[in-house]
Amino acid sequence: MNILFIASWYPTKYTPFDGDFIQRHARAVALYCNVTVIHLASVKQKEDLIIEDIRNSGVWEIRVFHKKLKSKFGIIRAFKNLFFKLRAFKKAFAMIEKTDIVHLNVLFPAGVFALYLKFRYKIPFIVTEHWSKFLPDSNINFTSIEFFLIKQIVNNAKLICPVSGNLKRAMISMNLHGNYQIVPNVVDTNVFFPVKEIKKPDIFNIVHISGMTDRIKNITGMLNAVKKAYFLSPNFKITFVGTNNYEDYEQYVHKIGIPKDIINFIGVVSYSDVAQIMRQHHILLMFSNYENAPCVISEALVSGLPVISSAVGGIPEMIDDTNGYLVEKQNENQLALKIIEMIGNYNKFNTEFIAKNAKQKYSYQVVGKKYFD
């Protein structure tokens, strides 16, 4: 089968981490089908269009970089952009010999091209949705035009595959009805895997990995809980990974009086480096105010790490008594107690079982076969 991924988000040389989870889904499907990806990106450049196409891990990736358009009037700019993007998309699509099914990733804006292919060439499409903007706690609204187009895209999709049941319910609550089937995010198990043997250490290494936006990830709340836990049980250290702008958090650590030698901040790292960092730690810590189904949790589980997280979004679908603890969001006391509890009962968690069970849910082979079916 010849599958065309149309991606609203996708890694490029300008944004190497944007939509990397979509790229991994494409690679998973490529185990069973011929997969081509088209992604349009608006960038500052003199040329109207630059098309880059490469073969990457079994996937043919076509990236179209188009010049940003300017206009004083927002509605005019929007229609000019739509016309320009459609022209760019047609050029990329003309490079492809055959498409049996379109796999749209993130409804808007790329869903406009899925509609075009359905009505112009009668090519059916399915949707995979990751967007936390659909969640009520995000407090981010679509414009009326955006939502009108999103509803048309959903109404014409053969299948909608949110990455969590929570996201499915959120979309249905917005009157986005359709044929739903949940397919989770995917983990490259050749990169993420557990260390062969983990003994209960004297000092526990805890890690948090995210974009570290405080409004979403609640880093300051996590630091408050870490302080409370440390003064009750000072046998752990914690590493924060994911942003190069962590000076404010360092100042906050100093302000609330956490010993600086137990906190380590690391900037943005590669996918393979994240896997290596996980193998050097014992516990993943999350305390988000809202989430969808974080890839970092599935990556931690495949690496054999138990997880402590706030029970938001799709996270309760990923965590149970065998692989971690859930706490109420913003409940710092509860988080501190769960840190101490997990350290004290660490031998209860079977690293090999956690990794094996997660691999059966999130591996390329399993997720790719779900899409193929």
Side-chain angles (χ1 to χ4, degrees):
M1 297 176 68
N2 300 289
I3 310 301
L4 173 60
F5 269 57
I6 303 178
S8 293
W9 312 331
Y10 206 75
T12 72
K13 57 190 175 184
Y14 301 105
T15 54
F17 300 109
D18 282 6
D20 55 353
F21 40 83
I22 295 173
Q23 186 179 55
R24 292 192 288 275
H25 265 157
R27 292 174 179 177
V29 175
L31 296 178
Y32 302 91
C33 309
N34 299 319
V35 175
T36 304
V37 177
I38 294 180
H39 171 63
L40 272 63
S42 177
V43 298
K44 292 181 180 180
Q45 61 185 30
K46 293 181 181 179
E47 299 85 354
D48 282 349
L49 290 177
I50 297 176
I51 297 180
E52 170 188 280
D53 70 289
I54 60 172
R55 304 281 177 170
N56 188 355
S57 299
V59 177
W60 184 18
E61 298 178 336
I62 304 174
R63 296 175 177 86
V64 184
F65 300 102
H66 60 88
K67 182 171 61 176
K68 285 186 176 180
L69 300 180
K70 297 180 180 179
S71 174
K72 293 181 180 179
F73 304 101
I75 189 70
I76 295 175
R77 183 173 64 250
F79 279 103
K80 282 176 66 177
N81 267 307
L82 180 60
F83 175 79
F84 194 75
K85 285 176 181 286
L86 185 58
R87 187 179 68 176
F89 178 81
K90 287 180 180 179
K91 286 195 175 185
F93 183 70
M95 299 169 62
I96 303 169
E97 185 174 337
K98 185 179 180 183
T99 299
D100 297 311
I101 296 173
V102 166
H103 187 157
L104 170 64
N105 291 266
V106 183
L107 281 160
F108 190 81
V112 174
F113 309 129
L115 285 178
Y116 166 75
L117 293 181
K118 179 184 178 182
F119 293 125
R120 178 68 176 82
Y121 298 104
K122 310 300 181 186
I123 303 174
F125 69 91
I126 73 166
V127 179
T128 290
E129 191 53 72
H130 306 260
W131 209 351
S132 60
K133 190 172 180 177
F134 289 104
L135 302 177
D137 289 339
S138 72
N139 295 318
I140 303 172
N141 297 318
F142 294 100
T143 67
S144 56
I145 294 176
E146 286 173 345
F147 192 74
F148 171 79
L149 290 171
I150 286 169
K151 196 159 187 180
Q152 301 313 305
I153 296 162
V154 168
N155 288 343
N156 283 279
K158 287 286 186 181
L159 188 68
I160 306 163
C161 300
V163 294
S164 72
N166 180 72
L167 183 56
K168 169 188 171 179
R169 292 187 291 274
M171 294 174 70
I172 291 173
S173 72
M174 296 176 71
N175 203 27
L176 297 173
H177 298 284
N179 182 17
Y180 281 87
Q181 183 172 329
I182 298 163
V183 181
N185 283 309
V186 68
V187 179
D188 187 342
T189 53
N190 292 319
V191 178
F192 288 84
F193 51 85
V195 295
K196 290 186 178 180
E197 184 178 4
I198 295 182
K199 297 179 180 179
K200 186 173 180 178
D202 295 326
I203 299 295
F204 282 83
N205 292 318
I206 301 173
V207 65
H208 170 82
I209 304 171
S210 73
M212 291 181 62
T213 303
D214 200 37
R215 178 179 64 85
I216 302 171
K217 305 298 180 180
N218 196 10
I219 305 299
T220 52
M222 198 183 317
L223 287 169
N224 292 337
V226 165
K227 175 186 175 181
K228 294 175 183 180
Y230 182 77
F231 286 107
L232 291 173
S233 179
N235 58 338
F236 68 88
K237 295 183 178 181
I238 182 165
T239 300
F240 289 84
V241 183
T243 180
N244 294 322
N245 302 310
Y246 47 77
E247 292 82 4
D248 288 346
Y249 294 131
E250 287 183 319
Q251 291 176 13
Y252 190 76
V253 166
H254 176 72
K255 176 183 175 182
I256 64 175
I258 301 178
K260 64 180 181 180
D261 60 335
I262 75 157
I263 303 281
N264 183 31
F265 289 97
I266 298 177
V268 176
V269 300
S270 69
Y271 188 64
S272 59
D273 285 342
V274 169
Q276 184 61 34
I277 288 169
M278 285 190 175
R279 285 190 288 274
Q280 296 167 350
H281 289 76
H282 305 101
I283 299 166
L284 176 74
L285 187 64
M286 303 286 287
F287 197 44
S288 302
N289 290 321
Y290 69 92
E291 282 285 2
N292 186 7
C295 292
V296 71
I297 289 182
S298 49
E299 290 159 0
L301 296 175
V302 168
S303 302
L305 272 66
V307 177
I308 305 173
S309 174
S310 49
V312 295
I315 294 175
E317 301 166 40
M318 308 171 77
I319 304 298
D320 57 35
D321 291 341
T322 67
N323 60 17
Y325 295 140
L326 294 171
V327 301
E328 299 171 359
K329 72 174 182 180
Q330 299 181 348
N331 191 329
E332 297 170 6
N333 290 332
Q334 192 178 34
L335 181 63
L337 291 174
K338 285 299 181 182
I339 292 172
I340 296 169
E341 183 178 345
M342 182 170 283
I343 289 173
N345 297 290
Y346 192 74
N347 286 341
K348 164 188 169 184
F349 295 97
N350 186 319
T351 296
E352 184 179 347
F353 173 82
I354 291 172
K356 182 179 179 181
N357 192 45
K359 188 175 180 179
Q360 291 171 351
K361 295 178 182 178
Y362 305 119
S363 71
Y364 277 21
Q365 290 77 11
V366 171
V367 174
K369 182 66 164 56
K370 279 193 174 185
Y371 279 126
F372 179 65
D373 290 345

